[in-house]
Amino acid sequence: MRRIRPRRSPAVPLILLSWAGAAAVVTLWWQNTPNVVGNAEWLVGGGRLTGLLSGYSIALVVLLMARVPALERRVGSDRVARWHAVAGRYTLCLIIAHIALIIWGYAVQARTSVVDQTVTVVTEYPDMIKATVGTGLLLLVGLISAGVVRRRMPYEAWYYLHLMTYAGVFLAFWHQLAAGAEFVADEVARIAWYVLYGSVTLAMVWFRVLVPVGLNLRHRMRVLAVVPEAPGMVSVVIGGRDLDRLGAEPGQFFRWRFLAPRLRWGSHPYSLSAPPQQERMRITVKAVGGHSTALATLEPGTRVWAEGPYGAMTTGRRSRSKVLMIAGGAGITPLRALFETLPGRGSDITLLYRARSMEDLALWDELQRIAEARGARLLYAVNGPDGARPEITSERLRSVLPDIDRHDVFLCGPPGLAEHAYAALREAGVPDRRIHHESFEM
């Protein structure tokens, strides 16, 4: 079995680096903390430590929003989004702990009530009014990002409210340097904090603003055509200049903003459904929400604003010569592009397409032509006449591919299908590191 060297993910080194930064923050607190005596000093010390850690983790949370290519294309956008969500929750907990401990400790030292001490801290300490407003914004963003609230909000409303994170971070930053004991007395620590936040700000401005502006001015994309592919699914053909120089790989996606009524305020991720050509690209989208449904009404000539390419589900993940691809519904989009371009013998490539009916097998004619041209295997699984669903099980996978444990697997589809297929693949003996999946539920 020929082994292909996969592209290395920087995930582990980045995680270790982030923990090393946290250790440096704890060391800074330790060096600036004298012997602790009494409950008040313990409370204040804990408040200082949680304040430092929350300030550090805020910088990491913002960095994970910056769409840095090394993260988005190598680690995977869905994984980065999960890191951002988890880091955000830990940060909010640290912020709340910092506020509670520091005010409680100061109240014990001053022998006053927590309410009186809160008023004193907010009104008399340097930059604390700005910090209070900023903290309120950060807590509000955390509230609307909670699953039970987020699911009830339109995506566009959540997205624009989420941008208040930047204002909250800016307002809360200054009190760290003005009131933080570690920074008031230590110029090196103060410079390091400026460098940390300055670097994150530069990354944010560069990758979220300047790079997209340059990309769209250079390539000038517009809608060429909208083509129905299956019930509730259309392909949008996008034209532009030198699109083959975007560096997009099959399996990747862009975040698309169509400058048309009902669509211009939303930016959504859709995968390329064919390899990019010099003057055209194509996405294929299933109508599952307001934005995706409205794509069917796009008129030729509509201007397009794109950001990307993003995504790590590319040929670089492959480590074995034999590959199985499992697609469900709109998940066929990135896998169709991979099916055409994945290097290797066609007989080593298998695509299994799961859909409700034959009519729902979007791009089926194209897939058949690709399979015939390269000698690859193309299989489908659709519901029976009585609506019975053919489940993807380990036994069925082994019957189709007896050596499935020697395959790489690319998996893309609705969450339910992805979860069942993943469980079946693991039961069939496919290692977790060779199951490549990327979700757009971000």
CSV table of all heavy atoms in Angstrom, one decimal, residues 292-312:
chain,number,residue,atom,x,y,z
A,292,SER,N,-29.7,31.1,1.5
A,292,SER,CA,-29.5,30.1,0.5
A,292,SER,C,-30.7,30.0,-0.4
A,292,SER,O,-30.5,29.7,-1.6
A,292,SER,CB,-29.2,28.7,1.1
A,292,SER,OG,-30.2,28.4,2.1
A,293,THR,N,-31.9,30.2,0.1
A,293,THR,CA,-33.1,30.1,-0.8
A,293,THR,C,-33.1,31.3,-1.8
A,293,THR,O,-33.5,31.1,-2.9
A,293,THR,CB,-34.4,30.2,0.1
A,293,THR,OG1,-34.4,29.0,1.0
A,293,THR,CG2,-35.6,30.1,-0.7
A,294,ALA,N,-32.7,32.5,-1.3
A,294,ALA,CA,-32.7,33.6,-2.2
A,294,ALA,C,-31.7,33.6,-3.3
A,294,ALA,O,-31.8,34.3,-4.3
A,294,ALA,CB,-32.4,34.9,-1.3
A,295,LEU,N,-30.7,32.7,-3.2
A,295,LEU,CA,-29.7,32.6,-4.3
A,295,LEU,C,-30.3,32.3,-5.6
A,295,LEU,O,-29.8,32.6,-6.7
A,295,LEU,CB,-28.6,31.6,-3.9
A,295,LEU,CG,-27.7,31.9,-2.7
A,295,LEU,CD1,-26.6,30.8,-2.6
A,295,LEU,CD2,-27.1,33.3,-2.8
A,296,ALA,N,-31.5,31.5,-5.6
A,296,ALA,CA,-32.1,31.2,-6.8
A,296,ALA,C,-32.7,32.4,-7.6
A,296,ALA,O,-33.0,32.3,-8.8
A,296,ALA,CB,-33.3,30.2,-6.5
A,297,THR,N,-32.8,33.5,-6.9
A,297,THR,CA,-33.4,34.7,-7.6
A,297,THR,C,-32.3,35.7,-8.1
A,297,THR,O,-32.6,36.7,-8.6
A,297,THR,CB,-34.2,35.5,-6.6
A,297,THR,OG1,-33.4,36.0,-5.5
A,297,THR,CG2,-35.3,34.5,-6.0
A,298,LEU,N,-31.0,35.3,-7.9
A,298,LEU,CA,-29.9,36.2,-8.4
A,298,LEU,C,-30.0,36.4,-9.9
A,298,LEU,O,-30.3,35.5,-10.7
A,298,LEU,CB,-28.6,35.5,-8.0
A,298,LEU,CG,-28.1,35.6,-6.6
A,298,LEU,CD1,-26.8,34.8,-6.4
A,298,LEU,CD2,-27.9,37.1,-6.2
A,299,GLU,N,-29.7,37.6,-10.2
A,299,GLU,CA,-29.7,38.0,-11.7
A,299,GLU,C,-28.3,38.0,-12.2
A,299,GLU,O,-27.3,38.4,-11.4
A,299,GLU,CB,-30.3,39.4,-11.8
A,299,GLU,CG,-31.8,39.5,-11.5
A,299,GLU,CD,-32.7,38.8,-12.5
A,299,GLU,OE1,-32.2,38.5,-13.6
A,299,GLU,OE2,-33.8,38.4,-12.1
A,300,PRO,N,-28.0,37.6,-13.4
A,300,PRO,CA,-26.7,37.7,-14.0
A,300,PRO,C,-26.2,39.2,-13.9
A,300,PRO,O,-27.0,40.1,-14.1
A,300,PRO,CB,-26.9,37.3,-15.4
A,300,PRO,CG,-28.1,36.4,-15.4
A,300,PRO,CD,-29.0,36.9,-14.3
A,301,GLY,N,-25.0,39.4,-13.6
A,301,GLY,CA,-24.4,40.7,-13.5
A,301,GLY,C,-24.3,41.2,-12.0
A,301,GLY,O,-23.7,42.2,-11.8
A,302,THR,N,-25.0,40.5,-11.1
A,302,THR,CA,-24.9,40.9,-9.7
A,302,THR,C,-23.5,40.8,-9.2
A,302,THR,O,-22.8,39.8,-9.4
A,302,THR,CB,-25.8,39.9,-8.8
A,302,THR,OG1,-27.1,40.0,-9.3
A,302,THR,CG2,-25.7,40.3,-7.4
A,303,ARG,N,-23.0,41.9,-8.5
A,303,ARG,CA,-21.7,41.9,-8.0
A,303,ARG,C,-21.5,41.0,-6.8
A,303,ARG,O,-22.5,40.8,-6.1
A,303,ARG,CB,-21.3,43.3,-7.6
A,303,ARG,CG,-21.2,44.3,-8.8
A,303,ARG,CD,-20.7,45.6,-8.4
A,303,ARG,NE,-19.4,45.6,-7.8
A,303,ARG,CZ,-18.8,46.6,-7.3
A,303,ARG,NH1,-19.4,47.8,-7.2
A,303,ARG,NH2,-17.5,46.5,-6.8
A,304,VAL,N,-20.3,40.4,-6.7
A,304,VAL,CA,-20.1,39.4,-5.7
A,304,VAL,C,-18.9,39.9,-4.9
A,304,VAL,O,-17.8,40.3,-5.4
A,304,VAL,CB,-19.8,38.0,-6.3
A,304,VAL,CG1,-19.5,37.0,-5.2
A,304,VAL,CG2,-21.0,37.6,-7.2
A,305,TRP,N,-19.0,39.8,-3.6
A,305,TRP,CA,-17.9,40.0,-2.7
A,305,TRP,C,-17.5,38.7,-2.0
A,305,TRP,O,-18.4,38.1,-1.4
A,305,TRP,CB,-18.3,41.1,-1.6
A,305,TRP,CG,-17.1,41.5,-0.7
A,305,TRP,CD1,-16.8,40.9,0.4
A,305,TRP,CD2,-16.3,42.6,-0.9
A,305,TRP,NE1,-15.7,41.5,1.0
A,305,TRP,CE2,-15.4,42.6,0.2
A,305,TRP,CE3,-16.1,43.6,-1.8
A,305,TRP,CZ2,-14.4,43.6,0.4
A,305,TRP,CZ3,-15.1,44.6,-1.7
A,305,TRP,CH2,-14.3,44.5,-0.6
A,306,ALA,N,-16.3,38.3,-2.1
A,306,ALA,CA,-15.8,37.0,-1.6
A,306,ALA,C,-14.6,37.1,-0.7
A,306,ALA,O,-13.8,38.0,-0.8
A,306,ALA,CB,-15.5,36.0,-2.7
A,307,GLU,N,-14.6,36.2,0.3
A,307,GLU,CA,-13.4,36.1,1.2
A,307,GLU,C,-13.0,34.7,1.2
A,307,GLU,O,-13.8,33.8,1.4
A,307,GLU,CB,-13.8,36.6,2.6
A,307,GLU,CG,-14.2,38.0,2.7
A,307,GLU,CD,-14.6,38.4,4.1
A,307,GLU,OE1,-13.9,38.0,5.1
A,307,GLU,OE2,-15.6,39.1,4.3
A,308,GLY,N,-11.7,34.5,1.1
A,308,GLY,CA,-11.1,33.1,1.1
A,308,GLY,C,-9.9,33.0,0.2
A,308,GLY,O,-9.3,34.0,-0.2
A,309,PRO,N,-9.6,31.7,-0.2
A,309,PRO,CA,-10.3,30.5,0.2
A,309,PRO,C,-10.0,30.0,1.6
A,309,PRO,O,-8.9,30.3,2.1
A,309,PRO,CB,-9.8,29.5,-0.9
A,309,PRO,CG,-8.4,30.0,-1.2
A,309,PRO,CD,-8.4,31.5,-1.0
A,310,TYR,N,-10.9,29.2,2.1
A,310,TYR,CA,-10.8,28.7,3.5
A,310,TYR,C,-11.1,27.2,3.4
A,310,TYR,O,-11.6,26.7,2.4
A,310,TYR,CB,-11.8,29.3,4.4
A,310,TYR,CG,-11.7,30.8,4.6
A,310,TYR,CD1,-12.7,31.7,4.3
A,310,TYR,CD2,-10.5,31.4,5.0
A,310,TYR,CE1,-12.6,33.0,4.5
A,310,TYR,CE2,-10.3,32.8,5.1
A,310,TYR,CZ,-11.4,33.6,4.8
A,310,TYR,OH,-11.3,35.0,5.0
A,311,GLY,N,-10.8,26.5,4.5
A,311,GLY,CA,-11.1,25.1,4.6
A,311,GLY,C,-9.9,24.2,4.5
A,311,GLY,O,-8.9,24.5,3.7
A,312,ALA,N,-9.9,23.1,5.2
A,312,ALA,CA,-8.8,22.2,5.2
A,312,ALA,C,-9.1,20.8,4.7
A,312,ALA,O,-8.3,19.9,4.7
A,312,ALA,CB,-8.2,22.0,6.7
